[in-house]
Amino acid sequence: MEPPKKRQSAAGSELARDNPLEFASLRGWAEDDHLAAFCVFYRSAALVLQQSESHIAANSSPVPAGTSDDREPFKECARRALADPALSAAQAKRFFEENFALQALGPTESYDGFLTGYFEPELSASLTRTDQYTVPLYKVPPALVNNPNDLFHLDRAAIQAGALEGQDLELVWLKDKSDVYFVHVQGSARLILENGHAMRVAFAAKTGHEYTSLGKVLCERLNSAPADMTGDVLADWMRTHPHEIDDLMALNQSYIFFKEQQNLQADDGPVGAGGVPLSAGRSLAIDHKIHPYGLPIWLSTPEPVVNNGSADRLMITQDTGSAIVGLQRSDIFVGSGRSAGLTAGRIQSPARMILLVPNP
C-alpha cells in the first residue's frame, strides 16, 4: 500500500498529521468552552455544504486545491455537526479532537501573527434628514451594481464632496461624521431610529480603492506609538478636529455602501461575510483569499484580549475585511455597543494561529 500523500497548507508546510501537534499540548485547550465553539461552528456548517469548491478554499487555502474529493473532509465535518447538534460539553470537545488535526502556521512557541478587534456600533439614526441627522449611509449605486468598474474613479473625497447626492441613495442618516466613518470600518451597525425601532445595516459593496488605516496616518502625524492610537483615541481626535476630519478621512479612498439587514434576532451579531450572524468572542475575521469560512482556528495571544475570557480560545472563521490581509492576520468580533467598541479598539496583539484541518 502506498503511503498517504502529503498535503500542503498555505504556508507550504506539511499538514499536522505528518508532523502532529497534540490537542492536549495546547495551552488552555482543556479549559476552553468547546460547546460554545461547536455552536458557532454549527451555524456555518450548512453554508459549508452549499459552497462551491472555489468558495470552500482559495488557491492557497489550507484545504487543498484539486478534485472535489480533496474538499470532502471539510464537508464531512459539517455534515457530522449538522447530524448531531445536541452535544454535551465533553462531546463537543471530542468532536473537534476526532474530526480535525492541528496545523501550526508558524513556530509553535512564537507569536508571528497580528490580532485586532472589531465590533457592531450602536447608534441613533433617522430615516430622513433632519437638522440633527445630517450624515448619510449610502445604498449601492446602480452603476456599481451594473458595472463595478464605473466607480473606481469615485473615491471617498469625491463622495464626501457630494458626488452621490440627489440620487435617492441615502439609506439612513446619522449625526456625526466620525460615527459614519467607524460604521464603514466595522462594516455593520445596530441603529435605533427616532420611533424607537431598531434597524440593522450591513456591508453591501465597496469602491475599488485600497483601504488606508487612518490610525496609522494619525500616528505618523502626531508622532505617537501605534499601541496608543486606539479606536476611541482616533474617534476623539475626529470629534475635536471638525475642520480637519474631511481631509483626514479622504486619505482612506475606499468607500463602503450598506443595505438593511433583516431577519436577525435581537441577540444576534451582524451577519459576517461567511453568511451567518457573528458570535462575540468566537467569530474570527481572516484573509479569505487564504482561509475558508467555517474553519476552526485555535487562537493564542500572550495576554487576554477580551474582558471575560482567556488568551487562548477556539474560534471559527466567519468574516473578512479590507485590512485583514495575510496568513496570520486576524480580527476578533467582540460584540455590540460602546463597551464592545472600547474593548475592540484596544486590541492590537501578537497572536498565534493553529488551524484545525479536517481529517481525511
Side-chain angles (χ1 to χ4, degrees):
M1 178 182 296
E2 292 184 0
K5 293 181 179 179
K6 295 179 179 179
R7 298 187 293 176
Q8 300 292 310
S9 75
S13 59
E14 296 173 2
L15 285 185
R17 70 175 191 274
D18 301 307
N19 185 19
L21 290 171
E22 299 294 335
F23 282 94
S25 71
L26 298 178
R27 185 187 68 178
W29 175 257
E31 295 77 25
D32 196 23
D33 188 345
H34 302 90
L35 183 56
F38 177 83
C39 291
V40 178
F41 178 77
Y42 180 87
R43 272 191 154 179
S44 289
L47 290 180
V48 168
L49 295 180
Q50 296 171 15
Q51 291 169 344
S52 66
E53 288 184 16
S54 62
H55 286 93
I56 290 176
N59 291 336
S60 57
S61 167
V63 181
T67 67
S68 59
D69 289 342
D70 291 329
R71 319 264 189 231
E72 191 58 30
F74 194 24
K75 290 187 174 183
E76 183 58 30
C77 288
R79 291 190 191 99
R80 291 171 186 165
L82 292 170
D84 191 13
L87 302 184
S88 67
Q91 288 171 328
K93 179 173 179 285
R94 286 199 300 273
F95 173 85
F96 290 112
E97 292 173 344
E98 293 174 357
N99 287 284
F100 295 90
L102 297 174
Q103 179 195 359
L105 293 181
T108 56
E109 298 304 320
S110 63
Y111 296 97
D112 293 336
F114 184 63
L115 175 71
T116 50
Y118 70 114
F119 73 109
E120 181 186 41
E122 288 184 348
L123 302 164
S124 60
S126 174
L127 294 176
T128 58
R129 178 168 182 157
T130 70
D131 290 342
Q132 192 176 22
Y133 297 95
T134 60
V135 193
L137 294 177
Y138 282 116
K139 296 179 285 189
V140 184
L144 185 58
V145 175
N146 300 329
N147 184 358
N149 291 325
D150 277 358
L151 281 185
F152 268 74
H153 68 285
L154 271 184
D155 59 12
R156 182 177 294 273
I159 295 172
Q160 288 177 171
L164 297 180
E165 291 179 2
Q167 302 181 43
D168 194 29
L169 293 174
E170 293 85 0
L171 176 64
V172 68
W173 299 83
L174 303 183
K175 294 179 180 179
D176 188 88
K177 290 180 180 179
S178 64
D179 285 341
V180 168
Y181 184 79
F182 278 96
V183 173
H184 279 224
V185 172
Q186 304 304 324
S188 64
R190 187 189 303 253
L191 305 177
I192 307 303
L193 302 177
E194 291 179 296
N195 60 11
H197 293 164
M199 176 183 183
R200 308 288 286 277
V201 296
F203 173 94
K206 66 184 289 293
T207 58
H209 302 283
E210 292 294 324
Y211 171 83
T212 298
S213 168
L214 297 191
K216 291 182 179 179
V217 171
L218 202 56
C219 272
E220 294 174 359
R221 285 189 181 182
L222 302 178
N223 195 28
S224 62
D228 295 333
M229 187 51 64
T230 60
D232 50 324
V233 171
L234 176 59
D236 286 344
W237 187 95
M238 288 179 162
R239 294 188 183 105
T240 56
H241 294 76
H243 301 298
E244 300 177 58
I245 186 172
D246 284 342
D247 289 341
L248 178 68
M249 291 193 302
L251 296 176
N252 178 18
Q253 294 182 311
S254 177
Y255 197 90
I256 307 298
F257 302 100
F258 291 87
K259 61 185 176 183
E260 183 175 2
Q261 186 74 65
Q262 299 178 328
N263 303 319
L264 287 177
Q265 300 299 316
D267 57 351
D268 280 339
V271 175
V276 298
L278 303 178
S279 299
R282 293 288 173 180
S283 295
L284 195 68
I286 39 72
D287 187 341
H288 187 48
K289 294 179 181 178
I290 298 175
H291 304 297
Y293 294 133
L295 189 71
I297 287 182
W298 183 253
L299 183 70
S300 180
T301 56
E303 300 292 339
V305 295
V306 291
N307 294 333
N308 60 345
S310 72
D312 310 276
R313 58 178 51 208
L314 187 55
M315 309 290 296
I316 310 298
T317 59
Q318 293 183 324
D319 206 359
T320 192
S322 299
I324 312 305
V325 179
L327 183 65
Q328 291 204 69
R329 179 69 173 90
S330 58
D331 204 18
I332 185 172
F333 176 67
V334 176
S336 303
R338 176 169 172 75
S339 177
L342 292 173
T343 298
R346 293 166 183 161
I347 298 176
Q348 299 183 53
S349 175
R352 179 186 307 135
M353 290 169 57
I354 298 177
L355 307 185
L356 273 69
V357 181
N359 285 323

